[in-house]
């Protein structure tokens, strides 16, 4: 506590005197403070919907596993199901999202959300590492029985992609939980993580939509379709969670958020357009490509079918050379009749060898009508199969050339074809005498021909099938299966098998699964004039191989375009925001400039201005206000008014302030403030309520107040003057009139003595009246008449004064001593003379019974503070009457001469020269000493004051 | 006390006015004894028997005080104040007799418990009538407790 202030307020109650009236002005109470609006729940609905979706995915998948229907978890057969571990994590994450729906977040929900996501992050990290290492935990199945066929992508395990996404989700969730002051930083990271999750989910879903799901067939487990969808929802929810805090640091969140919504909508529409056109473009490309492949396939099939037909016809042509060939049949007949005829045998052999050689048959047999082998070329081969013998029989019966279709030779286990020609008797051509068998080894020409593909291909092949009962039998060697010829059979009810379709009469391009179970595209048709069906097939994967590349390019392009458009929209948004903030900034700058102007005006204005809060603390003080209290701003700001001015609670000013504070009414008061040094200043205080508390406008009115008080004093003096005149003038009048009455009575009574007395009273009264009027005139001159100021020495002044009262002095035999002072005065000479004149007159008048009356006149100090004195050794004055003697018309001795105006006159003149007059007397009979100063007359520099 | 003349203390600085009062009271039919002092200080000295007023026979306690307001040395109001704040003196009726008809004077006089306020009339006949009435009222009709009991 400042010692000065303590001192000040020890005198405080008298210091705070409220003198003037209090003007009450009723004012409406200040408008309430702006409420601190909570964050609007703009995304709460979005979060809830997304969380519900995520929870739904998890629950449906778990239900699927519980019921043993993995289809529920996989969104269609042939696709990876959602792993139980993934499903469970989804449910937990959804719960943690639901926990965030409350604003503000209760403590337990905050902790629960944090622990769920913390645990989730740990599990996800563990599974991610294990999955990348190829370790698959049985625990992940959560007790469900999941059997995995070897060699097939195992189900029931979390994909590393899924695990990574879960990790990102946890991070985003935890970062958006931050409640620190700089929470927009983690919130921004959370926001971008959420975008990553959405992007990952979208990419996976897109891949599913385009029919080429990612990671299928790779070493890693692909994420399920449902998982991808769930991640999109989870990402959206996390985005909504992070958004308010990510935007929180920006002023005016509302309008920014609104424009953000618009830009997000634009972005979504753009992205939708890009995805759709990408999809359409890719689809179109795929269809064109497929058509092209179909054309190729058809062309190849056409070629092969024609060639097969041609080949068969050639073989039949070969046969027809011997069929009904009279020469040959004659030769055979001759050989039959004379088998020992070497020449015939030789010629026959030459024929057969010729055929064998020319047409690359495997072996040529000649059988007799009984089916016995007569001759074969080459001879070293194994005997003819039984199968062929049966066929030969049939040929002979029908007497027609016939093909024996693919058969397996019982002796060597190999597959052959054969053309059988019946040899008829030359005469009537009706009797079959034998059969000529051209055996064909398909490996020689046929199979290579079938296998040949006119363009490079990894999977394409042609297969030949025929129907055997309800089965399709594969006739040629297959590309992907050894020993298939005649061994591989497929039932015709396998409708997706292209071979079965072909056998069942289908013709044209078809899709299905081939003998391996692999999806293929095939051209199926019957080979004309044969029991064969031609299947030209190619793996779908090869068909779509180039399109897959195209797909990836499209996806990359689409993602690039989306990113680009996102960037563009983001830039536009940023630009818009920059513009928005620039305008805001400009407005703020203008506002600041004008505020600065107002602040400077208020800071520097002459009137003091202070704002005091409801807790009585100084909120604002301008320079003048601080100066009014002789404090500095720093000493006042932040402290309460009671701290600064202890004891102020008991003052009237404070009562007015409190009234303003509580009743919200305005007041204007005038108050004198006493400083610790005892001096005081007057202030006019306007106290009015403001929203922060009260505002006090103070103006220093000390000068005005001083003048007012002077005027008041003058008025009082005037009043006293008038009163005195009325009283003192009335008094002799009463005397005169009353004694006039007595005079008449006494004259009537003829009482001469009384008449003389009466007249004496009347004369005295009239004289008194005359003196009174003279003095009044003199008195009025003191205030009015102004002689030009002149320089005059002290000696001159005193001499002139003594001359004026010389008669009196001489009469009373008074000794006057004047010290020889070298002091010069400056002022209205006659007035100055009057001072000494009156004082000397007064001294002479009250000399009393003094035997050696003496008056001393002199100066005690020099300079502006010079003290003049007039001392006598007369009767003295009782100290009680020291002030009274200076009063107008106040006399101490009713019997004394004069009206009592003299000393009053002296006092007035002394005061005109800013001096003071004092009477010193030790009491009756001890003499009197008047001491006075005349600073205005002594100080030459102060010429203006001279009157 | 019965039969003894009532002591009237006249406090008046103007000898002419004192003479007027004296003549009127002498002419009246009520027995009285007028004691005149010329200033406030003398009045107080009289009442407290100081400075030359120590003899009770020469300065008997008055039955009524006629007090002028404007007095040398000690003002009439001061005298009134002193009387009315002294339990021994306050029962003495104090009649203010002055030339002043100023509101402020009257108010101050009554504030200090003056018993009456009279303005000296300018007309002779009025002054005579006033003094007669004053004599009847205050000396004959007015009753008051014994001062010393």
């Amino acid at each position: 506590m400042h010692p000065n202030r303590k001192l000040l307020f020890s005198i405080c109650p008298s210091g705070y005197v409220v003198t003037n009236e209090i003007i009450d002005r009723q004012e409406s109470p200040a408008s309430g403070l702006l409420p601190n609006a909570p964050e609007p729940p703009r995304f709460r609905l979005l979060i809830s919907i997304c969380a519900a979706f995520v929870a739904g995915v998890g629950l449906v998948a778990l239900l699927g596993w519980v019921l043993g229907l993995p289809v529920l978890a996989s969104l269609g057969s042939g696709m990876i199901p959602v792993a139980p571990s993934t499903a469970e994590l989804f449910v937990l994450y959804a719960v943690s999202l639901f926990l965030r729906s409350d604003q503000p977040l209760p403590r337990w929900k905050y902790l629960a959300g944090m622990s769920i996501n913390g645990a989730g992050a740990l599990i996800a990290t563990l599974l991610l590492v294990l999955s990348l290492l190829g370790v698959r935990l049985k625990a992940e199945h959560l007790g469900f029985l999941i059997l995995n066929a070897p060699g097939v992508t195992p189900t029931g395990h979390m994909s590393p992609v899924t695990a990574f996404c879960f990790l990102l989700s946890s991070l985003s969730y935890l970062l958006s939980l931050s409640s620190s002051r700089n929470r927009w930083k983690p919130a921004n990271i959370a926001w971008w993580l959420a975008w990553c999750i959405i992007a990952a989910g979208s990419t996976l879903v897109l891949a599913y939509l385009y029919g080429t799901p990612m990671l299928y067939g790779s070493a890693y487990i692909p994420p399920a379709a449902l998982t991808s969808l769930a991640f999109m929802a989870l990402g959206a929810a996390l985005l909504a969670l992070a958004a308010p805090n990510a935007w929180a640091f920006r002023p005016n969140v509302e309008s920014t958020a609104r424009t953000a919504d618009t830009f997000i909508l634009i972005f979504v529409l753009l992205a939708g357009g890009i995805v759709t056109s990408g999809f359409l473009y890719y689809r179109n490309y795929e269809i064109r490509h497929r058509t092209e492949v179909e054309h190729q396939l058809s062309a190849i099939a056409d070629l092969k079918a024609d060639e097969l037909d041609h080949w068969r016809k050639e073989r039949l042509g070969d046969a027809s050379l011997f069929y009904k060939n009279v020469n040959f049949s004659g030769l055979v007949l001759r050989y039959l009749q004379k088998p020992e005829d070497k020449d015939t045998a030789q010629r026959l052999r030459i024929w057969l060898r010729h055929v064998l050689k020319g047409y690359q048959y495997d072996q040529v047999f000649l059988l007799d009508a009984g089916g016995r082998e007569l001759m074969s070329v080459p001879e070293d081969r194994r005997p003819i199969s039984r199968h062929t013998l049966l066929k030969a029989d049939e040929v002979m019966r029908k007497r027609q050339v016939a093909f024996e279709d693919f058969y397996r030779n019982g002796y060597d286990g190999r597959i052959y074809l054969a053309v059988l020609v019946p040899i008829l008797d030359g005469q009537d051509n009706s009797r079959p005498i034998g059969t000529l068998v051209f055996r064909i080894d398909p490996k020689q020409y046929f199979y290579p021909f079938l296998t040949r593909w006119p363009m490079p291909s990894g999977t394409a092949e042609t297969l030949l099938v025929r129907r055997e009962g309800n089965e399709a039998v594969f006739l040629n060697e297959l590309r992907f299966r050894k020993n298939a010829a005649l061994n591989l059979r497929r039932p015709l009810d396998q409708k997706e098998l292209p071979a079965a379709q072909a056998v069942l009469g289908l013709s044209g391009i078809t899709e299905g699964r081939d003998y391996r179970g692999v999806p293929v595209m095939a051209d199926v048709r019957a080979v004309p004039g044969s029991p064969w069906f031609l299947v030209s097939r190619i793996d779908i994967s090869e068909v779509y191989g180039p399109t897959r590349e195209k797909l990836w390019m499209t996806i990359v392009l689409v993602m690039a375009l989306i990113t680009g458009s996102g960037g563009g929209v983001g830039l536009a948004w940023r630009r818009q925001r920059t513009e928005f903030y620039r305008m805001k900034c400009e407005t703020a700058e203008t506002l600041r400039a004008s505020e600065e102007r107002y602040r400077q005006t208020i800071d520097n204005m002459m009137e003091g201005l202070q704002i005091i809060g409801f807790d009585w603390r100084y909120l604002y003080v301008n320079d003048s206000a601080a100066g009014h209290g002789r404090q500095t701003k720093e000493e006042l700001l932040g402290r309460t008014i009671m701290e600064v001015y202890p004891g102020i609670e008991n003052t009237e000013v404070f009562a007015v302030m409190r009234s303003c504070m509580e009743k919200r009414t305005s007041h204007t008061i005038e108050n004198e403030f006493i400083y610790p040094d005892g001096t005081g200043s007057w202030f006019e205080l306007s106290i009015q309520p403001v929203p922060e508390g009260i505002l006090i406008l103070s103006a220093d009115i000390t000068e005005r107040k001083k003048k007012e008080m002077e005027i008041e004093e003058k008025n009082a003096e005037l009043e006293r003057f008038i009163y005195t005149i009325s009283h003192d003038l009335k008094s002799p009048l009463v005397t005169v009139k009353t004694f006039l009455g007595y005079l008449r009575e006494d004259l009537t009574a003829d009482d001469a003595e009384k008449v003389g007395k009466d007249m004496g009273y009347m004369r005295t009264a009239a004289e008194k009246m005359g003196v009174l009027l003279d003095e009044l005139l003199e008195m009025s001159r003191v205030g009015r008449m102004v002689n030009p100021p002149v320089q005059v020495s002290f000696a001159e002044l005193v001499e002139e004064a003594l001359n004026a009262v010389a008669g009196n002095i001489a009469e009373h035999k008074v000794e006057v001593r004047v010290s020889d002072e070298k002091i010069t005065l400056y002022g209205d000479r006659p007035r100055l003379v009057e001072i000494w004149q009156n004082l000397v007159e007064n001294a002479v008048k009250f000399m009393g019974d003094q035997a050696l009356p003496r008056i001393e006149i002199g100066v005690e100090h020099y300079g502006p503070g010079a003290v003049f004195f007039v001392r006598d050794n007369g009767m003295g004055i009782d100290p009680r009457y020291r002030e009274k003697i200076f009063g107008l018309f106040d006399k101490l001795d009713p019997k004394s001469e004069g009206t009592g105006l003299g000393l009053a006159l002296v006092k007035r003149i002394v005061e005109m020269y800013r001096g003071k007059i004092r009477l010193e007397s030790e009491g009756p009979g001890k003499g009197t000493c008047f001491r006075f100063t005349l600073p205005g007359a002594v100080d030459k520099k102060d010429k203006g004051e001279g009157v | 006390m019965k039969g003894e003349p009532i002591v009237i203390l006249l406090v008046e600085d103007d000898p002419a006015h004192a003479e007027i009062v004296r003549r009127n009271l002498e002419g009246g039919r009520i027995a009285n004894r007028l004691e005149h002092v010329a200033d406030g200080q003398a009045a107080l000295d009289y009442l407290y028997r100081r400075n030359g007023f120590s003899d009770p026979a020469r300065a008997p306690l008055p039955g009524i005080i006629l007090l002028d307001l404007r007095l040398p040395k000690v003002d009439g109001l001061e005298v009134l104040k002193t009387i009315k704040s002294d339990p021994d003196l306050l029962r003495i009726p104090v009649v203010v007799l002055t030339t002043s008809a100023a509101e402020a004077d009257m108010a101050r006089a009554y504030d200090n418990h003056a018993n009456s306020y009279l303005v000296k009339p300018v007309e002779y006949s009025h002054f005579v009538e006033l003094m007669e009435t004053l004599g009847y009222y205050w000396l004959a009709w007015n009753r008051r407790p014994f001062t010393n009991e």
Side-chain angles (χ1 to χ4, degrees):
Chain A
M1 183 60 54
H2 205 277
N4 274 357
R5 273 183 215 117
K6 220 168 197 166
L7 194 71
L8 167 64
F9 279 98
S10 57
I11 55 165
C12 178
S14 66
Y16 288 95
V17 181
V18 181
T19 49
N20 270 27
E21 77 274 37
I22 293 162
I23 303 156
D24 272 7
R25 233 181 310 144
Q26 205 65 43
E27 268 183 14
S28 60
S31 56
L33 295 170
L34 277 174
N36 193 7
E39 195 111 15
R42 303 191 313 113
F43 300 116
R44 213 169 284 175
L45 185 66
L46 176 65
I47 294 172
S48 299
I49 290 172
C50 291
F53 180 78
V54 172
V57 167
L59 289 173
V60 164
L62 282 176
L63 190 71
W65 288 110
V66 170
L67 297 179
L69 290 169
V71 177
L72 273 181
S74 63
L75 204 72
S77 62
M79 293 212 267
I80 288 282
V82 179
S85 50
T86 309
E88 197 200 7
L89 276 186
F90 272 135
V91 174
L92 284 175
Y93 275 60
V95 167
S96 76
L97 285 177
F98 278 125
L99 288 175
R100 288 285 285 272
S101 60
D102 272 353
Q103 278 276 6
L105 204 57
R107 183 104 191 117
W108 72 268
K109 288 190 174 184
Y110 175 88
L111 290 175
M114 200 154 83
S115 27
I116 287 176
N117 280 272
L122 286 177
I123 293 171
T125 315
L126 179 72
L127 290 178
L128 174 62
V129 172
L130 290 180
S131 189
L132 288 176
L133 291 174
V135 180
R136 311 207 199 286
L137 292 178
K138 193 87 176 163
E140 260 194 89
H141 296 169
L142 300 177
F144 297 114
L145 185 65
I146 299 170
L147 293 173
N148 283 317
V152 179
T153 309
T155 57
H157 292 280
M158 196 186 285
S159 159
V161 178
T162 309
F164 185 64
C165 284
F166 272 126
L167 186 58
L168 293 186
S169 305
S170 284
L171 287 178
S172 172
Y173 185 96
L174 293 174
L175 283 170
S176 71
L177 262 181
S178 165
S179 58
S180 75
R181 215 145 60 84
N182 279 337
R183 61 174 169 275
W184 61 272
K185 279 182 191 162
N188 257 343
I189 302 173
W191 153 273
W192 286 112
L193 284 176
W195 269 119
C196 288
I197 297 160
I198 292 181
S202 315
T203 310
L204 291 169
V205 169
L206 266 181
Y208 271 107
L209 271 181
Y210 289 164
T212 43
M214 283 168 73
L215 290 176
Y216 273 65
S218 77
Y220 300 113
I221 303 169
L226 268 176
T227 306
S228 313
L229 272 175
F231 271 125
M232 282 178 77
L234 186 60
L238 289 168
L239 203 60
L241 272 186
N245 276 341
W247 295 341
F249 73 102
R250 294 162 189 156
N252 203 347
V253 176
E254 267 318 293
S255 80
T256 321
R258 210 172 299 132
T259 55
D261 286 348
T262 316
F263 280 107
I264 286 173
L265 185 68
I266 292 172
F267 173 70
V268 166
L269 288 176
L270 264 176
I274 291 166
V275 168
T276 310
S277 46
F279 180 73
L280 289 177
Y281 165 77
Y282 170 72
R283 254 309 184 223
N284 188 32
Y285 171 83
E286 199 184 53
I287 287 164
R288 270 193 298 121
H289 177 78
R290 190 192 155 103
T291 316
E292 200 178 306
V293 171
E294 281 174 5
H295 281 320
Q296 276 178 13
L297 212 58
S298 293
I300 290 166
D302 268 351
L303 201 71
K304 296 232 166 175
D306 277 356
E307 263 186 59
L308 281 176
D309 188 33
H310 188 69
W311 182 82
R312 279 182 75 98
K313 284 199 173 118
E314 247 181 15
R315 297 290 74 75
L316 290 174
D318 287 351
S320 67
L321 196 66
F322 293 93
Y323 182 52
K324 294 183 180 172
N325 184 327
V326 182
N327 285 341
F328 186 70
S329 63
L331 200 61
V332 171
L333 204 61
R334 254 201 317 277
Y335 183 70
L336 283 173
Q337 286 158 357
K338 279 190 193 157
E340 60 288 333
D341 182 357
K342 293 231 180 177
D343 180 51
T344 308
Q346 189 59 33
R347 279 174 63 189
L348 203 58
R349 201 172 295 271
I350 286 168
W351 269 95
L352 294 186
R353 204 168 278 152
H354 179 70
V355 171
L356 181 81
K357 217 171 170 187
Y359 302 101
Q360 297 185 334
Y361 291 108
D362 172 61
Q363 204 169 8
V364 180
F365 298 94
L366 183 64
L367 308 177
D368 68 1
R372 276 171 316 213
E373 186 179 321
L374 294 178
M375 182 185 286
S376 73
V377 178
E379 289 151 4
D380 54 337
R381 302 283 169 94
R382 285 178 197 156
I384 195 160
S385 78
R386 220 166 43 82
H387 205 271
T388 314
L389 291 180
L390 284 171
K391 187 74 182 175
D393 230 28
E394 186 193 324
V395 165
M396 275 189 286
R397 256 187 289 114
K398 287 186 180 165
R399 295 174 205 170
Q400 284 291 330
V401 176
F403 249 103
E404 189 188 8
D405 209 12
F406 292 95
Y407 67 93
R408 192 174 291 279
N409 189 320
Y411 298 102
D412 58 7
R414 293 170 67 167
I415 292 167
Y416 296 105
L417 283 105
V419 181
L420 287 88
V421 183
I423 307 206
L424 304 175
D425 188 354
Q427 266 70 41
D428 53 2
N429 275 347
S430 57
R431 189 177 63 92
I433 52 171
T435 317
L436 196 59
V437 178
F438 302 135
R439 198 174 73 177
I440 303 163
D441 182 357
K443 283 193 178 121
Q444 297 276 320
Y445 168 78
F446 198 86
Y447 283 170
F449 156 71
L450 271 179
T451 313
R452 238 184 358 253
W453 198 259
M455 50 193 74
S457 164
T459 64
E461 67 178 333
T462 314
L463 17 125
L464 213 54
V465 289
R466 69 166 180 240
R467 179 174 187 161
E468 281 184 16
N470 270 333
E471 284 181 335
V473 181
F474 290 76
L475 299 178
N476 58 336
E477 284 302 332
L478 298 178
R479 192 165 182 167
F480 300 106
R481 186 162 298 189
K482 296 289 155 216
N483 274 330
L486 289 184
N487 283 333
L488 186 67
R489 317 168 161 260
R490 285 282 184 266
L492 288 182
D493 53 5
Q494 277 190 11
K495 292 282 179 346
E496 40 176 35
L497 196 72
Q501 291 169 351
V503 169
L504 287 172
L506 234 71
S507 175
I509 299 291
T510 179
E511 262 186 45
R513 285 172 184 278
D514 73 351
Y515 52 91
R516 293 168 297 161
V518 169
V520 292
M521 179 194 274
D523 180 279
V524 294
R525 58 178 71 201
V527 179
S530 76
W532 298 339
F533 297 93
L534 188 70
V535 176
S536 310
R537 55 148 278 272
I538 182 164
D539 278 9
I540 287 282
S541 62
E542 190 184 340
V543 173
Y544 290 116
T547 65
R548 185 179 273 260
E549 257 170 48
K550 194 80 180 175
L551 172 72
W552 278 112
M553 274 174 62
T554 311
I555 287 177
V556 166
L557 191 70
V558 162
M559 290 314 286
L561 279 175
I562 287 176
T563 312
S565 67
V569 170
L571 271 178
W573 181 38
R574 211 186 157 77
R575 211 186 140 84
Q576 194 269 347
R577 244 176 49 205
T578 313
E579 185 64 18
F580 174 75
Y581 286 118
R582 195 180 58 74
M583 273 171 61
K584 228 177 139 62
C585 206
E586 272 173 15
T587 317
E589 180 58 30
T590 319
L591 210 69
R592 200 194 59 73
S594 97
E595 200 186 282
E596 174 71 17
R597 194 163 59 240
Y598 285 129
R599 200 181 60 74
Q600 279 201 350
T601 310
I602 290 174
D603 271 357
N604 301 327
M605 70 184 188
M606 270 173 62
E607 284 79 10
L609 194 145
Q610 45 195 308
I611 295 173
I612 296 170
F614 287 104
D615 55 355
W616 295 104
R617 259 170 223 294
Y618 284 100
L619 299 179
Y620 173 80
V621 180
N622 73 355
D623 295 333
S624 298
H628 286 167
R630 296 196 186 161
Q631 310 263 3
T632 62
K633 279 189 199 176
E634 291 69 31
E635 282 177 303
L636 295 176
L637 287 176
R639 301 179 63 197
T640 66
I641 190 166
M642 296 80 154
E643 283 166 18
V644 178
Y645 303 119
I648 196 171
E649 294 97 315
N650 306 319
T651 64
E652 242 178 291
V653 181
F654 189 79
V656 173
M657 288 184 194
R658 197 201 314 265
S659 154
C660 178
M661 196 78 96
E662 284 164 6
K663 298 186 189 132
R664 314 306 288 157
T665 52
S666 295
H667 305 276
T668 303
I669 61 168
E670 285 180 4
N671 173 51
E672 189 179 16
F673 187 91
I674 307 291
Y675 296 108
D677 64 3
T679 58
S681 283
W682 279 88
F683 296 102
E684 185 179 74
L685 305 177
S686 298
I687 304 174
Q688 51 190 302
V690 288
E692 294 90 344
I694 57 172
L695 179 145
I696 302 174
L697 194 67
S698 54
D700 190 334
I701 53 163
T702 309
E703 283 305 309
R704 197 185 86 195
K705 206 72 195 172
K706 217 192 248 173
K707 288 213 170 74
E708 270 177 17
M709 265 148 66
E710 266 171 34
I711 289 169
E712 241 169 70
E713 211 170 284
K714 286 244 161 60
N715 280 343
E717 198 183 296
L718 193 67
E719 203 186 336
R720 205 162 62 238
F721 186 68
I722 291 166
Y723 161 78
T724 313
I725 288 169
S726 68
H727 179 269
D728 287 22
L729 283 180
K730 202 175 160 193
S731 192
L733 202 62
V734 168
T735 310
V736 169
K737 284 200 105 173
T738 310
F739 278 100
L740 263 176
Y742 284 131
L743 186 62
R744 195 168 52 208
E745 278 178 15
D746 293 340
L747 281 174
T748 313
D750 203 13
D751 185 338
E753 188 197 352
K754 267 198 169 172
V755 167
K757 242 183 181 173
D758 292 345
M759 286 171 72
Y761 279 120
M762 284 161 75
R763 191 174 54 249
T764 312
E767 275 167 5
K768 191 176 168 188
M769 226 166 157
V771 173
L772 204 61
L773 287 172
D774 281 350
E775 287 192 345
L776 274 177
L777 206 60
E778 182 69 13
M779 187 75 189
S780 74
R781 278 198 205 112
V782 177
R784 280 194 296 115
M785 284 186 63
V786 178
N787 297 303
V790 291
Q791 286 207 15
V792 57
S793 73
F794 169 74
E796 264 180 83
L797 282 173
V798 174
E799 196 188 330
E800 196 176 328
L802 291 177
N803 284 342
V805 290
N808 258 349
I809 295 168
E811 191 187 329
H812 288 86
K813 299 185 179 76
V814 179
E815 179 198 0
V816 179
R817 289 185 199 166
V818 181
S819 55
D820 185 19
E821 305 290 352
K822 302 274 184 292
I823 188 163
T824 307
L825 297 173
Y826 183 85
D828 184 341
R829 184 168 172 154
R831 290 280 94 77
L832 292 173
V833 169
E834 259 178 302
I835 298 174
W836 280 273
Q837 185 188 325
N838 274 294
L839 290 176
V840 170
E841 219 170 358
N842 190 72
V844 171
K845 204 188 285 177
F846 297 104
M847 206 45 92
D849 307 327
Q850 180 60 248
L852 292 167
R854 190 178 68 241
I855 296 172
E856 290 168 80
I857 300 169
V859 184
E860 275 179 352
H861 300 283
Y862 290 89
V867 177
F868 305 89
F869 65 88
V870 175
R871 190 184 299 133
D872 64 55
N873 58 351
M875 57 200 268
I877 291 174
D878 191 317
R880 279 181 290 171
Y881 312 136
R882 254 181 222 165
E883 282 305 311
K884 193 169 161 71
I885 57 157
F886 292 109
L888 208 55
F889 306 107
D890 275 330
K891 296 188 293 185
L892 294 185
D893 181 4
K895 289 187 278 297
S896 70
E897 293 167 42
T899 53
L901 209 61
L903 290 180
L905 213 59
V906 169
K907 188 171 189 239
R908 283 198 77 162
I909 297 168
V910 167
E911 281 174 354
M912 257 166 208
Y913 288 97
R914 292 188 278 115
K916 283 194 170 112
I917 184 160
R918 201 170 68 223
L919 177 137
E920 287 159 20
S921 177
E922 285 172 21
K926 303 262 176 70
T928 313
C929 179
F930 286 96
R931 280 196 164 81
F932 59 96
T933 55
L934 293 167
V938 172
D939 185 12
K940 281 189 197 172
K941 284 170 266 175
D942 198 5
K943 288 174 184 174
E945 274 299 313
V947 181
Chain B
M1 295 277 279
K2 219 171 177 186
E4 281 179 29
I6 296 172
V7 176
I8 301 168
L9 178 64
L10 174 64
V11 188
E12 174 62 70
D13 62 328
D14 190 331
H17 289 191
E19 179 65 18
I20 296 169
V21 172
R22 181 192 306 282
R23 287 193 190 187
N24 273 293
L25 288 176
E26 274 170 6
R29 277 168 288 180
I30 294 137
N32 63 69
R33 173 178 163 186
L34 187 70
E35 292 291 338
H36 172 224
V37 290
D39 61 64
Q41 185 59 52
L44 292 176
D45 287 348
Y46 179 96
L47 289 170
Y48 289 105
R49 297 197 171 125
R50 300 179 302 216
N51 299 338
F53 294 102
S54 48
D55 181 3
R58 274 194 58 201
L61 214 56
I64 183 168
I65 300 170
L66 296 180
L67 182 67
D68 196 0
L69 284 184
R70 285 190 51 81
L71 294 168
K73 293 182 183 171
V74 176
D75 196 70
L77 274 174
E78 281 298 315
V79 176
L80 178 63
K81 216 179 277 179
T82 312
I83 293 168
K84 288 303 179 189
S85 53
D86 186 335
D88 289 338
L89 301 176
L90 61 81
R91 282 174 183 171
I92 304 172
V94 178
V95 175
V96 174
L97 185 64
T98 178
T99 44
S100 168
E103 278 286 315
D105 279 340
M106 287 189 228
R108 279 195 290 261
Y110 279 109
D111 286 349
N112 287 298
H113 312 292
N115 295 71
S116 185
Y117 191 100
L118 301 173
V119 179
K120 294 171 186 165
V122 176
E123 291 299 322
Y124 163 72
S125 56
H126 292 174
F127 210 142
V128 173
E129 196 184 330
L130 171 72
M131 291 314 294
E132 204 169 308
T133 314
L134 184 141
Y136 277 121
Y137 183 87
W138 285 108
L139 306 180
W141 292 109
N142 191 45
R143 298 289 298 269
R144 61 184 195 90
F146 294 114
T147 334
N148 291 334
E149 286 169 23

